[in-house]
Amino acid sequence: MFSTILYIALALFALGFSIFIHELGHFIAAKKRGLIADRFSIGFGPRLFGWHRNGTDFRLSLLPLGGYVSLPQLADMGRIEGGEKEDADRLPPISYADKMIVAVMGAVFNLIFALVLSLVLWGVGREIVKSTTVGFVAEEIRNADGEIVPGPAYAAGIREGDSIYSIDDKQVPDWWYFQNAIATSVGKEAGENGRRLVEVGILRDGQAMEFTVYPELVSSERMRYIGIEPETDETSAPIVMRLEPGMPAMEAGLQPMDRLIKLDGEEIISGAFLSTYLANHGDRSINVTVERDGKEITLPIQPRIKEGENSPRFGFAYDFQDKTEIVHYNPIDQLYRFAETMKMTLFALLHKNSDVHVKNMSGPVGIVHGLTRMAQIGFIDLLWMLALINVNLAIFNLLPIPVLDGGHMLFATISKVIGRPLPQKVMENVQGAFMILLLGFVVYVSFFDVGRVGRDIGLIDDEPPAPAEAAPAAPTTDEAAP
């Protein structure tokens, strides 16, 4: 529990620092251009604490939904941000260039920070599932409605050992890109009830082949899935994927994601070793050594014969770790990959045939949880996600939406085109309306974020059960493993 709190604190700091970097870009640009910056706030709403220096109130505010630098000459946000309304008419006017430079520098600083992080990742490397070779093809899967249906990839003709090289004519560099490409795909047959479809290019024995696959929606997120998984490394330690209630493994304290290391002090070298050892020693308690959070823990577990079965079992399902390798993407390539991911998501969000909706996006709760998970995996993965978030912050803030930096740039450009300032009252009303919409958006996505977090940590289990006779074959269990 204490380590979890530390990871959450680290995630909050990482997100807060990204916001600070963004606002620092605005602040430095404003000062360099001779503008007045009366507030520098992390968060919105009432001031919690802070200090005054050189005419600027540096503060931490109540609502941790972002941050802002108050620039009365750029746009009056006083009423929205909880401060006093400044009399902008008495302040020196600023040029169109001042407005555009100051507005864009927040995104520029986020990109610079992401570039610095990418330089670190380039140097030390990051372990990912680089290979796009298919290691498992499900003949049946459970869809979002709890129905057992044919596995889309298997039905289309894709088989274990195939290597995926394209999705909808886009090159697939690694497994992470493949997953995103499937989830954000927008292909659909003509007609009101047309099936979802995606074109998958594979290499089989050196020959290029194309398959039309009809994805199914899976999980409570209702995301597209075609029923394949990457190849695994069977030389690595098996990982506990699932525990059976009422069976010895769960009662002894075994947990999902524990890495199985030894049985009675003997190193586990394969899945066959697990099943053979259990068959030979299932009549007594077996000391199962696992790796959890970097520490080895030994749990004595007495196998038991479940009612209706003939052989003793521990009662867990396991799988092997995906086959990974260390990659050293150069920083520009890495930033391009981040931007492309954001572009794919935004395109899917706006496309009528897509299954990506606003509820699938993450707000502050989801972002902090994601950063927490990455921190638990490792510091390098935390840096990677932090770089991704900073690229996303840069792109999102440049969208031409009032309240965002892109909105300020839009107002400045409109004023430049029509040759006169926009009415202050109109700007305040538009900004206020979009601030309410933004807060509503944050509340909406946070509601779904809470559900996702609850499912991830095991507090919520609302997935529809699969019929026992048609359960898909995923992690190894029963005769092949304890």
Side-chain angles (χ1 to χ4, degrees), residues 170 177 180-181 184 339-349:
K170 298 176 183 176
Y177 181 94
N180 279 314
T184 59
E340 188 176 25
T341 301
M342 183 68 165
K343 182 190 73 173
M344 292 164 61
T345 302
L346 289 175
F347 181 78
L349 194 63

Side-chain angles (χ1 to χ4, degrees), residues 128-137 153 158-159 161-165 167 172-182 200 225-231 322-324 329 337:
I128 69 167
V129 182
K130 173 69 174 175
S131 171
T132 58
T133 299
V134 177
F136 171 75
V137 185
I158 296 175
R159 295 294 181 263
D162 292 343
S163 292
I164 300 166
Y165 72 85
I167 298 293
V172 176
D174 53 47
W175 197 265
W176 183 65
Y177 181 94
F178 160 74
Q179 290 178 309
N180 279 314
I182 294 294
V200 181
Y225 178 64
I226 64 173
I228 63 176
E229 299 297 334
E231 58 182 341
D322 295 336
K323 185 174 289 186
T324 61
Y329 290 131
R337 289 169 181 269

Side-chain angles (χ1 to χ4, degrees), residues 137-166:
V137 185
E139 295 186 32
E140 295 178 326
I141 65 171
R142 182 179 65 185
N143 66 18
D145 298 317
E147 302 166 338
I148 299 301
V149 297
Y154 187 87
I158 296 175
R159 295 294 181 263
E160 181 179 334
D162 292 343
S163 292
I164 300 166
Y165 72 85
S166 71

